[in-house]
Every structure is written in structure tokens, then in C-alpha cells.
Amino acid sequence: MNQEPFVHILLFECPRCAGPAPTAIASDHRSMEDVDSRLVGVTCGCGWSAEVPATDAKRHWVDSWSTRMSDAD
């Protein structure tokens, strides 16, 4: 049985302009703790970018992510 993949969406606050800086991570695990243990690359529209701990995210959502072609129709 194939495990369904997940996407984790993390929302950070840019330290330069205070705007939202979102990023998404694909994972085989639904657990937020699995992603929270990582460093993630974040880029803001103002030009700021950095690698930051996922635990610094202001919000964290998880959803299933189907890669089947029929889902794109």
C-alpha cells in the first residue's frame, strides 16, 4: 500500500519588511514534528532570504497531496 504524500505550508514573518513569507515542503509524514525539526529556505518578496528553523513559522498547515495525473483534470 502506498503512503499518501503530504504538503506542509509554513508562514513566516519577514524580519526586514514584516510581510508574509510562505514556503511549502513535501513530506511522506503528516506529523508537524517531522517538519519542525528541519531548517527551511524562506524568501520574501522584498528580497530577504534565509535558512531558518521551521519552528520559527508563525503558522503551519498540513494537507494531503495527490500526485496522480487524474487529480489535475
Side-chain angles (χ1 to χ4, degrees):
M1 184 166 94
N2 288 340
Q3 185 173 352
E4 186 174 14
F6 298 94
V7 63
H8 293 254
I9 297 115
L10 293 94
L11 183 61
F12 296 86
E13 181 178 343
C14 175
R16 182 186 291 169
C17 73
T23 192
I25 300 169
S27 176
D28 289 335
H29 305 284
R30 180 176 204 88
S31 168
M32 289 184 177
E33 289 79 15
D34 178 64
V35 170
D36 283 345
S37 66
R38 301 182 190 186
L39 287 176
V40 295
V42 181
T43 302
C44 180
C46 76
W48 171 83
S49 66
E51 215 171 70
V52 297
T55 54
D56 286 357
K58 296 191 77 65
R59 300 286 187 272
H60 184 167
W61 298 273
V62 184
D63 202 354
S64 60
W65 185 263
S66 179
T67 57
R68 294 181 304 226
M69 293 298 290
S70 62
D71 288 347
D73 294 334

Coordinates of all heavy atoms in Angstrom, one line a residue:
M1 N 0.8 -1.2 0.0 CA 0.0 0.0 0.0 C 0.9 1.2 0.0 O 1.8 1.4 0.8 CB -0.9 0.0 1.2 CG -1.9 1.1 1.3 SD -3.2 0.8 2.5 CE -2.5 1.7 3.9
N2 N 0.6 2.2 -0.9 CA 1.4 3.4 -1.0 C 0.9 4.4 0.1 O -0.3 4.6 0.2 CB 1.3 4.1 -2.4 CG 2.0 3.3 -3.4 OD1 2.9 2.5 -3.1 ND2 1.7 3.5 -4.7
Q3 N 1.9 5.1 0.7 CA 1.5 6.1 1.7 C 1.2 7.4 0.9 O 2.0 7.7 0.0 CB 2.7 6.3 2.6 CG 2.3 7.3 3.7 CD 3.4 7.3 4.8 OE1 4.4 6.5 4.7 NE2 3.3 8.2 5.7
E4 N 0.2 8.1 1.3 CA -0.2 9.3 0.6 C 0.8 10.4 1.0 O 1.1 10.6 2.2 CB -1.6 9.7 1.1 CG -2.1 10.9 0.4 CD -3.6 11.2 0.8 OE1 -4.1 10.6 1.7 OE2 -4.2 12.0 0.1
P5 N 1.3 11.2 0.1 CA 2.2 12.3 0.4 C 1.5 13.4 1.0 O 0.3 13.6 0.8 CB 2.9 12.6 -0.9 CG 1.9 12.2 -2.0 CD 1.1 11.0 -1.4
F6 N 2.2 14.3 1.7 CA 1.6 15.5 2.3 C 2.4 16.7 1.9 O 3.6 16.6 1.6 CB 1.7 15.3 3.8 CG 0.8 14.2 4.3 CD1 1.4 12.9 4.6 CD2 -0.5 14.3 4.5 CE1 0.7 11.9 5.0 CE2 -1.3 13.2 4.9 CZ -0.7 12.0 5.2
V7 N 1.8 17.8 2.0 CA 2.5 19.1 1.9 C 2.3 19.9 3.2 O 1.2 19.9 3.7 CB 1.9 19.9 0.6 CG1 0.5 20.3 0.8 CG2 2.8 21.1 0.4
H8 N 3.4 20.5 3.6 CA 3.4 21.3 4.8 C 3.6 22.8 4.3 O 4.5 23.1 3.6 CB 4.5 21.0 5.7 CG 4.3 19.6 6.3 ND1 4.0 19.4 7.7 CD2 4.5 18.4 5.8 CE1 3.9 18.1 7.9 NE2 4.2 17.5 6.8
I9 N 2.7 23.6 4.7 CA 2.8 25.1 4.3 C 3.1 25.8 5.6 O 2.4 25.7 6.6 CB 1.5 25.6 3.7 CG1 1.2 24.8 2.4 CG2 1.6 27.1 3.4 CD1 0.0 24.0 2.4
L10 N 4.2 26.5 5.5 CA 4.7 27.3 6.6 C 4.7 28.8 6.3 O 5.1 29.2 5.2 CB 6.1 26.9 7.0 CG 6.2 25.4 7.6 CD1 6.5 24.5 6.5 CD2 7.2 25.4 8.7
L11 N 4.2 29.6 7.2 CA 4.1 31.0 7.0 C 5.0 31.7 8.0 O 4.8 31.6 9.2 CB 2.7 31.5 7.2 CG 2.5 33.0 6.9 CD1 2.8 33.4 5.5 CD2 1.0 33.4 7.2
F12 N 6.0 32.4 7.5 CA 7.0 33.2 8.3 C 6.7 34.7 8.2 O 6.1 35.1 7.2 CB 8.4 32.9 7.9 CG 8.8 31.4 8.0 CD1 8.5 30.5 7.1 CD2 9.5 31.0 9.2 CE1 8.9 29.2 7.2 CE2 9.8 29.7 9.4 CZ 9.5 28.8 8.4
E13 N 7.2 35.4 9.2 CA 7.2 36.9 9.1 C 8.6 37.3 8.7 O 9.6 37.0 9.3 CB 6.8 37.5 10.4 CG 6.7 39.0 10.4 CD 6.3 39.6 11.7 OE1 5.7 38.9 12.5 OE2 6.5 40.8 11.9
C14 N 8.7 38.1 7.6 CA 9.9 38.6 7.2 C 10.5 39.6 8.2 O 9.8 40.5 8.6 CB 9.8 39.3 5.8 SG 11.3 40.1 5.2
P15 N 11.8 39.4 8.6 CA 12.4 40.3 9.6 C 12.7 41.7 9.0 O 12.9 42.6 9.7 CB 13.6 39.6 10.1 CG 13.9 38.7 9.0 CD 12.6 38.3 8.3
R16 N 12.8 41.8 7.7 CA 13.1 43.0 7.0 C 11.9 43.9 6.8 O 11.9 45.1 7.2 CB 13.8 42.8 5.7 CG 14.2 44.1 5.0 CD 14.7 43.8 3.6 NE 16.0 43.2 3.6 CZ 16.6 42.6 2.6 NH1 16.0 42.7 1.4 NH2 17.8 42.0 2.7
C17 N 10.8 43.4 6.3 CA 9.7 44.2 6.0 C 8.4 43.9 6.8 O 7.4 44.5 6.6 CB 9.4 44.1 4.5 SG 8.6 42.6 3.9
A18 N 8.5 42.8 7.6 CA 7.3 42.3 8.4 C 6.2 41.7 7.5 O 5.1 41.5 8.1 CB 6.8 43.4 9.3
G19 N 6.5 41.5 6.3 CA 5.4 40.9 5.4 C 5.4 39.4 5.5 O 6.3 38.8 6.1
P20 N 4.4 38.7 4.9 CA 4.4 37.3 5.0 C 5.4 36.6 4.0 O 5.6 37.1 2.9 CB 2.9 37.0 4.5 CG 2.6 38.1 3.7 CD 3.3 39.3 4.2
A21 N 6.0 35.6 4.4 CA 7.0 34.8 3.6 C 6.6 33.3 3.7 O 7.1 32.7 4.6 CB 8.4 35.1 4.1
P22 N 5.8 32.8 2.8 CA 5.4 31.4 2.8 C 6.4 30.5 2.2 O 7.2 30.9 1.3 CB 4.1 31.4 2.1 CG 4.3 32.5 1.0 CD 5.1 33.6 1.7
T23 N 6.4 29.3 2.6 CA 7.1 28.2 1.9 C 6.4 26.9 2.1 O 5.5 26.8 3.0 CB 8.6 28.1 2.5 OG1 9.4 27.3 1.6 CG2 8.6 27.5 3.9
A24 N 6.6 26.0 1.2 CA 5.9 24.7 1.2 C 7.0 23.6 1.2 O 8.0 23.7 0.5 CB 5.0 24.5 0.1
I25 N 6.7 22.5 1.9 CA 7.6 21.3 2.0 C 6.8 20.1 1.7 O 5.8 19.8 2.4 CB 8.3 21.2 3.4 CG1 9.1 22.5 3.7 CG2 9.2 20.0 3.5 CD1 9.5 22.6 5.1
A26 N 7.3 19.2 0.8 CA 6.7 17.9 0.6 C 7.2 16.9 1.6 O 8.4 17.0 1.9 CB 6.9 17.4 -0.8
S27 N 6.4 16.0 2.1 CA 6.8 15.0 3.1 C 6.0 13.8 3.0 O 4.8 13.8 2.5 CB 6.7 15.6 4.5 OG 7.1 14.7 5.5
D28 N 6.6 12.7 3.4 CA 5.8 11.4 3.5 C 5.1 11.3 4.8 O 4.4 10.3 5.1 CB 6.7 10.2 3.3 CG 7.3 10.1 1.9 OD1 6.6 10.5 1.0 OD2 8.4 9.5 1.7
H29 N 5.3 12.3 5.7 CA 4.7 12.3 7.0 C 3.8 13.4 7.2 O 4.1 14.6 6.9 CB 5.8 12.3 8.1 CG 6.9 11.3 7.9 ND1 6.6 10.0 8.2 CD2 8.1 11.3 7.3 CE1 7.7 9.2 7.9 NE2 8.6 10.0 7.4
R30 N 2.7 13.2 7.9 CA 1.7 14.2 8.2 C 2.1 15.0 9.4 O 1.8 16.1 9.6 CB 0.3 13.5 8.4 CG -0.8 14.5 8.8 CD -2.1 13.9 8.9 NE -3.2 14.8 8.7 CZ -3.7 15.2 7.5 NH1 -3.3 14.6 6.5 NH2 -4.6 16.1 7.4
S31 N 2.9 14.4 10.3 CA 3.3 14.9 11.5 C 4.1 16.3 11.4 O 5.0 16.4 10.6 CB 4.3 13.9 12.3 OG 4.9 14.6 13.3
M32 N 3.6 17.3 12.1 CA 4.2 18.6 12.0 C 5.6 18.5 12.7 O 6.5 19.2 12.3 CB 3.4 19.6 12.8 CG 2.1 20.0 12.0 SD 1.3 21.3 12.9 CE -0.1 21.6 11.8
E33 N 5.8 17.6 13.7 CA 7.0 17.5 14.4 C 8.1 17.1 13.4 O 9.3 17.4 13.6 CB 6.9 16.5 15.5 CG 6.1 17.0 16.7 CD 4.6 16.9 16.5 OE1 4.1 16.2 15.5 OE2 3.9 17.6 17.2
D34 N 7.8 16.3 12.4 CA 8.8 15.8 11.4 C 9.4 17.0 10.7 O 10.6 17.1 10.4 CB 8.1 14.8 10.4 CG 9.1 14.4 9.4 OD1 10.1 13.7 9.7 OD2 8.9 14.7 8.2
V35 N 8.5 18.0 10.3 CA 9.0 19.1 9.6 C 9.6 20.2 10.5 O 10.6 20.9 10.2 CB 7.8 19.7 8.7 CG1 8.2 21.1 8.2 CG2 7.4 18.8 7.6
D36 N 9.0 20.3 11.7 CA 9.5 21.3 12.7 C 11.0 21.1 13.0 O 11.7 22.0 13.5 CB 8.7 21.3 13.9 CG 7.4 22.0 13.8 OD1 7.2 22.8 12.8 OD2 6.5 21.9 14.6
S37 N 11.5 19.9 12.8 CA 12.9 19.6 13.2 C 13.9 20.0 12.1 O 15.1 19.9 12.2 CB 13.1 18.1 13.4 OG 12.9 17.4 12.2
R38 N 13.4 20.6 11.0 CA 14.2 21.0 9.8 C 14.5 22.5 9.8 O 13.8 23.3 10.4 CB 13.5 20.7 8.5 CG 13.1 19.2 8.4 CD 12.5 19.0 7.0 NE 11.9 17.7 6.9 CZ 11.3 17.3 5.8 NH1 11.3 18.1 4.7 NH2 10.8 16.1 5.7
L39 N 15.6 22.8 9.0 CA 15.8 24.1 8.6 C 15.2 24.3 7.2 O 15.3 23.3 6.4 CB 17.3 24.4 8.4 CG 18.1 24.6 9.7 CD1 19.6 24.8 9.4 CD2 17.6 25.8 10.5
V40 N 14.5 25.4 6.9 CA 13.9 25.6 5.6 C 14.3 26.9 5.0 O 14.6 27.9 5.7 CB 12.3 25.6 5.8 CG1 11.9 24.2 6.2 CG2 11.8 26.6 6.7
G41 N 14.4 26.9 3.7 CA 14.7 28.1 2.9 C 13.5 29.0 2.8 O 12.4 28.5 2.4
V42 N 13.6 30.2 3.1 CA 12.5 31.1 3.1 C 12.9 32.4 2.3 O 14.0 32.9 2.5 CB 12.0 31.6 4.5 CG1 10.8 32.5 4.4 CG2 11.6 30.3 5.3
T43 N 12.0 32.8 1.4 CA 12.3 34.0 0.6 C 11.1 34.9 0.6 O 9.9 34.5 0.5 CB 12.6 33.6 -0.9 OG1 13.7 32.8 -0.9 CG2 12.9 34.9 -1.7
C44 N 11.3 36.2 0.8 CA 10.3 37.2 0.8 C 10.3 38.0 -0.4 O 11.4 38.2 -1.1 CB 10.4 38.1 2.1 SG 9.1 39.4 2.2
G45 N 9.2 38.6 -0.8 CA 9.1 39.5 -2.0 C 10.0 40.7 -1.9 O 10.3 41.3 -2.9
C46 N 10.4 41.1 -0.7 CA 11.3 42.3 -0.6 C 12.7 42.0 -0.9 O 13.5 42.9 -0.9 CB 11.1 42.9 0.8 SG 12.0 41.9 2.1
G47 N 13.0 40.7 -1.1 CA 14.4 40.3 -1.4 C 15.1 39.6 -0.3 O 16.2 39.0 -0.5
W48 N 14.6 39.6 0.9 CA 15.2 38.9 2.0 C 15.1 37.4 1.8 O 14.1 36.9 1.3 CB 14.5 39.3 3.3 CG 14.9 38.5 4.5 CD1 16.1 38.6 5.3 CD2 14.3 37.3 5.0 NE1 16.1 37.7 6.2 CE2 15.0 36.8 6.1 CE3 13.1 36.6 4.7 CZ2 14.7 35.7 6.8 CZ3 12.8 35.5 5.4 CH2 13.5 35.1 6.5
S49 N 16.1 36.7 2.1 CA 16.0 35.2 2.1 C 17.0 34.7 3.2 O 18.0 35.3 3.5 CB 16.3 34.6 0.7 OG 17.7 34.9 0.4
A50 N 16.6 33.5 3.7 CA 17.5 32.9 4.8 C 17.0 31.4 4.9 O 16.0 31.0 4.5 CB 17.3 33.6 6.1
E51 N 17.9 30.7 5.6 CA 17.5 29.3 6.1 C 17.2 29.5 7.6 O 18.0 29.9 8.3 CB 18.7 28.4 5.8 CG 18.2 27.0 5.5 CD 19.3 26.1 5.0 OE1 20.2 25.7 5.9 OE2 19.3 25.8 3.8
V52 N 16.0 29.1 7.9 CA 15.5 29.3 9.3 C 14.9 28.0 9.8 O 14.4 27.2 9.1 CB 14.5 30.5 9.4 CG1 15.1 31.8 9.0 CG2 13.3 30.2 8.6
P53 N 14.9 27.9 11.2 CA 14.2 26.7 11.7 C 12.7 26.7 11.4 O 12.1 27.8 11.5 CB 14.4 26.8 13.2 CG 15.5 27.8 13.4 CD 15.5 28.7 12.2
A54 N 12.1 25.6 11.1 CA 10.7 25.5 10.8 C 9.9 25.9 12.0 O 8.8 26.5 11.8 CB 10.3 24.1 10.3
T55 N 10.4 25.8 13.2 CA 9.7 26.1 14.4 C 9.5 27.6 14.5 O 8.7 28.1 15.3 CB 10.4 25.6 15.6 OG1 11.7 26.1 15.6 CG2 10.3 24.1 15.7
D56 N 10.2 28.4 13.7 CA 10.0 29.9 13.7 C 8.8 30.3 12.9 O 8.5 31.5 12.9 CB 11.3 30.6 13.1 CG 12.5 30.6 14.0 OD1 12.3 30.1 15.2 OD2 13.5 31.0 13.6
A57 N 8.1 29.4 12.2 CA 7.0 29.8 11.4 C 5.8 30.3 12.4 O 5.6 29.8 13.5 CB 6.4 28.6 10.7
K58 N 5.2 31.3 11.9 CA 4.0 31.9 12.7 C 2.8 31.0 12.5 O 2.0 30.9 13.4 CB 3.7 33.3 12.2 CG 4.8 34.3 12.4 CD 4.5 35.7 12.2 CE 3.7 36.3 13.3 NZ 4.2 36.5 14.6
R59 N 2.7 30.2 11.4 CA 1.6 29.3 11.2 C 2.1 28.1 10.4 O 3.1 28.2 9.6 CB 0.5 29.9 10.3 CG -0.2 31.1 10.9 CD -1.1 30.7 12.1 NE -1.9 31.9 12.5 CZ -1.5 32.7 13.4 NH1 -0.3 32.6 14.0 NH2 -2.3 33.7 13.8
H60 N 1.5 26.9 10.6 CA 1.9 25.7 9.9 C 0.6 24.9 9.6 O -0.1 24.5 10.5 CB 2.8 24.9 10.9 CG 3.4 23.7 10.3 ND1 4.4 23.0 10.9 CD2 3.1 22.9 9.2 CE1 4.8 21.9 10.2 NE2 3.9 21.9 9.2
W61 N 0.4 24.6 8.3 CA -0.7 23.8 7.9 C -0.2 22.5 7.2 O 0.8 22.6 6.6 CB -1.6 24.6 6.9 CG -2.2 25.8 7.4 CD1 -3.4 25.9 8.1 CD2 -1.7 27.1 7.3 NE1 -3.7 27.2 8.4 CE2 -2.6 28.0 7.9 CE3 -0.5 27.7 6.7 CZ2 -2.4 29.4 7.9 CZ3 -0.3 29.0 6.8 CH2 -1.3 29.9 7.4
V62 N -1.0 21.5 7.3 CA -0.7 20.2 6.6 C -1.9 19.8 5.8 O -3.0 19.8 6.3 CB -0.3 19.1 7.6 CG1 0.1 17.8 6.9 CG2 0.8 19.6 8.6
D63 N -1.6 19.3 4.6 CA -2.7 18.8 3.7 C -2.2 17.6 2.9 O -1.0 17.5 2.7 CB -3.2 19.9 2.8 CG -4.7 19.6 2.3 OD1 -5.2 18.5 2.6 OD2 -5.2 20.5 1.6
S64 N -3.1 16.7 2.6 CA -2.7 15.6 1.7 C -2.4 16.2 0.3 O -2.9 17.2 -0.1 CB -3.7 14.5 1.6 OG -4.9 15.0 1.1
W65 N -1.5 15.5 -0.4 CA -1.0 15.9 -1.7 C -1.0 14.7 -2.6 O -0.2 13.9 -2.5 CB 0.4 16.5 -1.6 CG 0.8 17.1 -2.9 CD1 1.6 16.5 -3.9 CD2 0.5 18.4 -3.4 NE1 1.8 17.4 -4.9 CE2 1.1 18.6 -4.7 CE3 -0.3 19.5 -2.9 CZ2 1.0 19.7 -5.4 CZ3 -0.3 20.6 -3.7 CH2 0.3 20.7 -4.9
S66 N -1.9 14.7 -3.6 CA -2.0 13.6 -4.5 C -1.2 14.0 -5.8 O -1.3 15.1 -6.3 CB -3.5 13.3 -4.9 OG -3.5 12.3 -5.8
T67 N -0.4 13.1 -6.2 CA 0.4 13.3 -7.4 C -0.1 12.6 -8.6 O 0.5 12.5 -9.7 CB 1.9 12.8 -7.2 OG1 1.9 11.4 -6.8 CG2 2.5 13.7 -6.1
R68 N -1.3 12.0 -8.5 CA -1.9 11.3 -9.7 C -2.3 12.3 -10.7 O -2.9 13.4 -10.4 CB -3.2 10.5 -9.2 CG -2.8 9.4 -8.3 CD -4.0 8.6 -7.9 NE -5.0 9.6 -7.3 CZ -5.7 9.4 -6.2 NH1 -5.5 8.3 -5.6 NH2 -6.5 10.3 -5.8
M69 N -2.1 12.0 -12.0 CA -2.4 12.9 -13.1 C -3.9 13.2 -13.2 O -4.3 14.3 -13.5 CB -1.9 12.3 -14.4 CG -0.4 12.3 -14.5 SD 0.4 13.9 -14.4 CE -0.1 14.5 -16.0
S70 N -4.7 12.2 -12.8 CA -6.2 12.4 -13.0 C -6.7 13.5 -12.0 O -7.7 14.1 -12.2 CB -6.9 11.1 -12.7 OG -6.7 10.7 -11.3
D71 N -5.9 13.8 -10.9 CA -6.4 14.8 -10.0 C -6.2 16.2 -10.6 O -6.7 17.2 -10.1 CB -5.6 14.7 -8.7 CG -6.0 13.5 -7.9 OD1 -7.1 12.9 -8.2 OD2 -5.3 13.2 -6.9
A72 N -5.3 16.4 -11.6 CA -5.1 17.7 -12.2 C -6.1 18.1 -13.2 O -6.2 19.2 -13.6 CB -3.7 17.7 -12.8
D73 N -7.0 17.2 -13.6 CA -8.0 17.5 -14.6 C -9.1 18.3 -14.0 O -9.5 18.2 -12.9 CB -8.6 16.2 -15.2 CG -7.5 15.4 -16.0 OD1 -6.6 16.1 -16.5 OD2 -7.6 14.2 -16.1

